[in-house]
């Protein structure tokens, strides 16, 4: 395959090979797109919009974010019966299709055996905390960590004193996260962005909760899912999608190749062998535009982003301000299958505007067209976020042209989705 073919295959597999829809997506469309991507990464940064909302907007256009909340964190009995997404550690903290939760039982077992990334040795001297937290959630869930502490109350105090001391709030939080990592708790709902813990058997359908796939079966299923949503990928790319163990991912890739479910290919300019998904599309050209959140699955594995698009990308949030080159929360801009610009964004909710602290064009990108297309996308994004305007108030080589393009769109009405009126 040529490098251009591989790039187009990757963009098409991600559902970004055509214009985003501008009509309100149905619940079924939201669910199908989330299922296709396999996961939506969660992140606490809310400087523009939380990370899990943006991939669906990039692919479908404006939608009611409350509809995604209902798929993931239902509040009514009717919504709970139709729950489609559940939280677990997949790529990082993620929303994933309910049916895929059992595919991570191997990770839950590993976390239990290794004391998990959260527990470590922090509670070796307090095993009673784990039992008490589990019992509290079982009796009163869904509960936030602070509510667990409250529910324990006097009974918890007595248990703690009997074991030689008071429980600290940090102990309860660590216990909650450990039980989540081992699959003994999951997220029942969120309040604000705070996780409220619940027993998984009260969240998942019985037939899903009862499934216990063999470890090698789960690895093959996850590699196959990653291949389908990546189109063409190296073994390292496939491994990163769900953060799989290297040796087991390599074995799963080999088994899928032997079964004819992955096709080995050589991609021009790639130093490692690649694998083509059986149903991968190989379009001759791709069109359309999309702003991509820093944690969008097309770009989250930075070595792959560099290999596919010749685009060196860092978010900025993990870099000291003096060393940032493009800003704090930077969105790459995809246009006709290429990453042609990057833009730093901030939702200034108090002022009711979407601010652009910096805008930068890639070498060879046509400035006038890129600015016009990016301005249109930013106006759409602002209205999706219930903001009234876009303000370019920062630097970067693209900023002057983008400011003019935004100004030329003054008064242009975009779809307002806040109340779907």
């Amino acid at each position: 395959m040529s490098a251009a073919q591989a790039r187009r295959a990757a963009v098409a597999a991600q559902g970004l090979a055509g214009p985003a829809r501008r009509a309100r997506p149905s619940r079924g469309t939201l669910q199908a797109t989330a299922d296709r991507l396999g996961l939506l990464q969660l992140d606490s940064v809310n400087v523009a919009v939380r990370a899990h909302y943006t991939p669906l907007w990039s692919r479908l256009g404006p939608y009611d974010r409350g509809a995604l909340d209902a798929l993931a964190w239902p509040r009514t009995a009717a919504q709970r019966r139709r729950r489609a997404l559940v939280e677990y550690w997949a790529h990082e903290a993620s929303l994933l299709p309910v049916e895929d939760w059992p595919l991570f039982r191997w990770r839950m077992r590993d976390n239990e055996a290794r004391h998990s990334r959260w527990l470590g040795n922090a509670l070796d001297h307090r095993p009673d905390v784990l039992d008490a937290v589990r019992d509290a959630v079982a009796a009163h869930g869904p509960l936030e960590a602070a509510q667990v502490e409250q529910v324990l109350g006097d009974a918890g105090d007595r248990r703690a004193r009997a074991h030689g001391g008071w429980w600290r709030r940090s102990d309860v939080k660590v216990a909650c996260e450990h039980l989540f990592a081992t699959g003994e708790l999951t997220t029942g709902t969120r309040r604000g962005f705070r996780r409220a813990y619940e027993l998984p058997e009260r969240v998942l359908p019985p037939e899903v909760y009862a499934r216990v796939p063999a470890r090698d079966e789960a690895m093959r299923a996850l590699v196959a899912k990653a291949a389908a949503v990546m189109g063409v990928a190296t073994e390292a790319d496939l491994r990163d999608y769900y953060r799989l163990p290297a040796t087991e991912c390599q074995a799963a890739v080999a088994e899928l190749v032997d079964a004819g479910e992955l096709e080995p290919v050589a991609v021009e300019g790639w130093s490692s062998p690649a694998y083509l998904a059986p149903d991968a599309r190989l379009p001759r050209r791709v069109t359309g535009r999309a702003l991509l959140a820093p944690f969008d699955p097309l770009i989250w594995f930075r070595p792959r982003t560099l290999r596919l698009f010749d685009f060196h990308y860092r978010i900025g949030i993990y870099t000291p301000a003096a060393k940032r080159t493009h800003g704090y929360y930077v969105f790459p801009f995809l246009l006709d299958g290429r990453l042609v610009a990057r833009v730093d964004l901030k939702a200034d909710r108090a002022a009711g505007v979407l601010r652009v602290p910096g805008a930068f064009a890639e070498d060879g990108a046509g400035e006038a067209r890129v600015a016009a297309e990016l301005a249109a996308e930013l106006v759409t994004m602002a209205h999706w976020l219930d903001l009234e305007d876009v303000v370019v108030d920062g630097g970067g080589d693209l900023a002057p042209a983008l400011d003019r393009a935004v100004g030329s769109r003054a008064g242009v009405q975009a779809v307002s989705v806040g109340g779907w009126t």
Side-chain angles (χ1 to χ4, degrees):
M1 299 177 68
S2 70
Q5 284 177 314
R7 183 175 61 251
R8 293 194 297 269
V11 171
Q14 283 281 316
L16 289 163
R21 304 179 192 183
R22 296 306 177 199
R24 178 186 181 183
S26 67
R27 180 189 190 278
T29 299
L30 291 177
Q31 181 175 341
T33 305
D35 287 349
R36 172 67 179 170
L37 293 176
L39 61 93
L40 301 172
Q41 186 172 334
L42 295 162
D43 189 77
S44 61
V45 176
N46 196 28
V47 66
V49 57
R50 292 204 189 276
H52 60 284
Y53 290 121
T54 316
L56 299 186
W57 172 73
S58 299
R59 290 153 180 82
L60 301 175
Y63 71 94
D64 181 0
R65 282 167 286 155
L68 179 58
D69 291 344
L71 291 175
W73 304 296
R75 296 186 180 276
T76 68
Q79 289 176 346
R80 285 191 288 273
R81 286 192 295 271
R82 303 173 67 196
R83 184 180 194 135
L85 301 172
V86 66
E87 291 186 38
Y88 192 61
W89 292 101
H91 182 75
E92 287 289 335
S94 304
L95 288 171
L96 58 147
V98 164
E99 294 77 11
D100 288 354
W101 187 86
L103 295 176
F104 294 91
R105 285 191 179 274
W106 60 271
R107 179 165 287 159
M108 298 170 194
R109 290 191 294 268
D110 284 355
N111 283 332
E112 185 174 2
R114 299 169 188 168
H115 299 296
S116 91
R117 63 189 294 174
W118 291 102
L119 185 63
N121 298 319
L123 297 181
D124 279 358
H125 63 298
R126 306 307 305 275
D128 55 309
V129 180
L130 294 173
D131 293 337
V133 167
R134 189 187 301 106
D135 292 347
V137 172
H140 302 283
L143 296 175
E144 300 170 30
Q147 293 174 316
V148 171
E149 191 178 24
Q150 293 172 1
V151 165
L152 293 178
D154 291 339
D157 294 343
R158 287 195 297 273
R159 268 179 98 171
R161 288 195 296 272
H163 285 80
W166 294 86
W167 287 330
R168 297 168 299 175
R169 184 169 188 174
S170 59
D171 289 346
V172 171
K173 177 62 176 174
V174 168
C176 287
E177 290 298 316
H178 171 71
L179 293 169
F180 178 88
T182 60
E184 294 184 69
L185 296 180
T186 188
T187 304
T189 189
R190 279 188 181 260
R191 303 181 182 109
F193 200 61
R194 301 181 304 276
R195 181 183 286 155
Y197 300 91
E198 181 58 286
L199 299 180
E201 57 266 40
R202 296 204 294 234
V203 169
L204 302 168
E207 66 278 10
V208 172
Y209 182 70
R211 284 183 54 212
V212 186
R215 189 180 181 107
D216 59 346
E217 175 191 348
M219 295 292 172
R220 287 192 298 273
L222 292 171
V223 170
K225 285 175 176 289
V229 77
M230 301 179 91
V232 60
T234 66
E235 183 274 328
D237 297 338
L238 296 169
R239 185 196 326 155
D240 177 77
Y241 206 82
Y242 290 106
R243 299 288 170 85
L244 303 177
T247 301
E248 291 171 279
C249 181
Q250 292 161 7
V253 168
E255 291 163 5
L256 291 169
V257 169
D258 288 344
E261 297 176 39
L262 282 181
E263 178 184 352
V265 293
V267 178
E268 174 191 16
W270 291 20
S271 59
S272 299
Y275 302 90
L276 187 68
D279 297 325
R281 290 176 53 205
L282 300 175
R284 293 186 177 182
R285 64 188 298 263
V286 295
T287 60
R289 67 184 186 229
L291 276 165
L292 303 175
F295 303 108
D296 190 283
L298 179 63
I299 59 168
W300 65 29
F301 189 40
R302 310 309 185 206
R304 176 176 169 83
T305 303
L306 180 62
R307 193 183 333 117
L308 279 172
F309 299 101
D310 192 24
F311 189 89
H312 185 270
Y313 176 53
R314 296 294 182 270
I315 307 172
I317 60 177
Y318 307 120
T319 305
K323 296 184 178 181
R324 292 179 197 138
T325 55
H326 298 102
Y328 181 76
Y329 204 69
V330 178
F331 284 63
F333 183 50
L334 182 74
L335 183 63
D336 297 342
R338 292 181 176 272
L339 295 177
V340 297
R342 58 190 92 203
V343 57
D344 190 18
L345 295 180
K346 175 180 175 59
D348 186 343
R349 295 167 180 88
V353 299
L354 180 63
R355 296 195 180 278
V356 183
F360 307 84
E362 292 299 291
D363 291 341
E367 183 179 273
R369 180 169 181 242
V370 169
E373 297 281 359
L374 179 54
E377 199 70 1
L378 289 170
V379 168
T380 301
M381 184 182 202
H383 283 262
W384 175 55
L385 298 178
D386 298 318
L387 302 171
E388 296 177 1
D389 203 357
V390 176
V391 176
V392 182
D393 55 3
D397 59 351
L398 187 60
L402 181 61
D403 190 29
R404 291 191 297 272
V406 168
S408 72
R409 296 187 62 85
V412 174
Q413 295 297 310
V415 178
S416 178
V417 300
W420 286 111
T421 57

